Amino acid sequence: MSEGRVSEGLCKVLNCEYGKNTIKFLRLHTEGKKHFVKEVEVCTHLRLTSCHEYLDGNNSAVIPTDTIKNIVLVLAKKNGISTLEQFAIDICQHFMTTFRQVAYVKTYVQEVPWQRLQENGVPHIHSFIYVPNGIRFCEAEQCRNGPLVVFAGIKDLKLMKTTQSGFEGFCKNEHTTLPERKDRILCGELFCKWSYGECKDFDFDCIWNKIRECILEAFAGPPDCGEYSPSYQKTVNCIQMHVLCKVQVIEVVLNNTFYNVVDMKNLGLTNDKEVSKCSKHTCLDSRNTQP
């Protein structure tokens, strides 16, 4: 990726990042007869201290993308993947300490959601099932002589509640056709990303699991009665407020799925919300920080 600007006949390179995307692999770890797996996809981008490869065609400082891929695989082999965040940190630190020409490095890692198979409550020693309960991901980035900053998140988390949601009292004019609703299905696909700030000795697995629990609690409310949501916006804010007690900055994107009750009067039936038709999607994007 390269960005430039022309001013008074001169060309200035603003950004000349490059890197390797979609490095996909499975890391297998064994403890006796028990197997553990981490399947990940990694994207690593670099920015060098000079732009000679862009301006002059001089490739002497360029680290080939094939080398970037091989380094990622070697680090997975040597260090393992204790957590996604630690693996991303290992990648950033390797490029910063090994290559003096690297001015900036950014790594994105996401995990394939394999879960250990259970038979009658007994965990299987080497069999797994794909469980799409949200995709875990992280990012780490560092400028030379700057702090290593870590982000984490969850995406493709599909959530639904079939009541305790409405949308009333909104702005109306001659173009408004949407009816007010006191009781509706609330459904969406969630993207949530938060910042840990500068890299510290965090228990990344523990924090990620607790944040996921906070998201589910904020969306659903108490298990015996739920909690009323007057809008998607309010639900997004509730999620952010629950999570901000644990991290510094959070971004939440909720891609909404609307379910409209099918009118069956012409079929001689009364449809008391038993059958709804899935329709359009809209997006709510919100970012919040600790005060």
Side-chain angles (χ1 to χ4, degrees):
M1 178 179 68
S2 179
E3 243 182 286
R5 180 175 63 193
V6 177
S7 177
E8 297 180 357
L10 298 176
C11 181
K12 181 179 180 181
V13 178
L14 300 179
N15 186 14
C16 52
E17 285 182 24
Y18 76 100
K20 186 70 172 178
N21 292 335
T22 59
I23 308 169
K24 298 181 180 182
F25 63 92
L26 177 74
R27 178 61 161 84
L28 175 64
H29 167 67
T30 60
E31 294 180 8
K33 292 184 177 180
K34 196 170 185 179
H35 289 198
F36 300 83
V37 296
K38 286 276 189 184
E39 185 176 354
V40 297
E41 178 180 328
V42 180
C43 303
T44 297
H45 283 204
L46 308 175
R47 185 167 67 244
L48 305 183
T49 53
S50 72
C51 302
H52 294 311
E53 70 277 17
Y54 284 94
L55 300 177
D56 308 321
N58 183 344
N59 296 327
S60 59
V62 176
I63 304 161
T65 58
D66 187 65
T67 302
I68 295 174
K69 176 201 69 178
N70 291 338
I71 287 171
V72 170
L73 297 177
V74 168
L75 289 173
K77 162 63 178 174
K78 290 184 175 180
N79 299 351
I81 307 176
S82 57
T83 66
L84 299 191
E85 293 83 357
Q86 186 58 54
F87 186 52
I89 291 168
D90 291 346
I91 294 171
C92 288
Q93 290 179 336
H94 178 89
F95 280 98
M96 278 298 175
T97 56
T98 305
F99 302 99
R100 295 177 60 185
Q101 70 267 39
V102 172
Y104 169 80
V105 57
K106 180 177 182 179
T107 293
Y108 171 89
V109 185
Q110 75 174 38
E111 182 177 7
V112 177
W114 290 110
Q115 182 175 299
R116 189 174 298 279
L117 200 62
Q118 295 196 12
E119 296 183 12
N120 299 321
V122 179
H124 202 285
I125 60 173
H126 61 243
S127 293
F128 302 84
I129 184 171
Y130 182 89
V131 181
N133 288 332
I135 304 296
R136 180 176 177 176
F137 69 90
C138 77
E139 293 177 1
E141 61 180 358
Q142 185 176 19
C143 290
R144 186 160 297 280
N145 301 322
L148 199 162
V149 181
V150 180
F151 303 86
I154 183 170
K155 66 177 186 176
D156 300 340
L157 179 63
K158 296 182 180 181
L159 299 171
M160 174 190 286
K161 60 181 184 181
T162 53
T163 189
Q164 287 283 61
S165 173
F167 189 49
E168 301 176 277
F170 48 84
C171 178
K172 304 180 185 69
N173 62 16
E174 66 273 18
H175 305 297
T176 304
T177 59
L178 183 71
E180 292 193 350
R181 293 182 180 178
K182 294 182 179 180
D183 189 19
R184 65 174 181 175
I185 294 173
L186 178 65
C187 181
E189 186 173 292
L190 191 78
F191 170 95
C192 186
K193 178 182 175 181
W194 57 89
S195 171
Y196 291 113
E198 294 185 23
C199 179
K200 298 177 182 178
D201 186 20
F202 291 116
D203 186 340
F204 291 113
D205 281 345
C206 180
I207 295 173
W208 191 89
N209 285 319
K210 285 183 177 179
I211 289 178
R212 187 178 184 277
E213 290 176 4
C214 284
I215 292 170
L216 300 181
E217 290 171 5
F219 179 86
D224 58 338
C225 60
E227 183 171 337
Y228 184 76
S229 168
S231 66
Y232 279 87
Q233 290 88 338
K234 179 60 176 175
T235 296
V236 167
N237 182 257
C238 286
I239 292 171
Q240 290 176 322
M241 293 302 103
H242 272 66
V243 176
L244 277 175
C245 63
K246 295 179 172 58
V247 295
Q248 296 179 355
V249 181
I250 183 170
E251 177 186 3
V252 176
V253 179
L254 185 61
N255 294 306
N256 306 338
T257 303
F258 290 103
Y259 288 89
N260 296 311
V261 176
V262 178
D263 186 353
M264 293 186 171
K265 291 179 181 177
N266 59 340
L267 300 175
L269 296 172
T270 300
N271 182 18
D272 188 18
K273 299 192 300 183
E274 293 101 338
V275 180
S276 296
K277 185 178 180 181
C278 179
S279 59
K280 59 186 178 181
H281 294 70
T282 60
C283 177
L284 285 174
D285 188 348
S286 179
R287 181 181 174 87
N288 219 324
T289 63
Q290 288 181 345

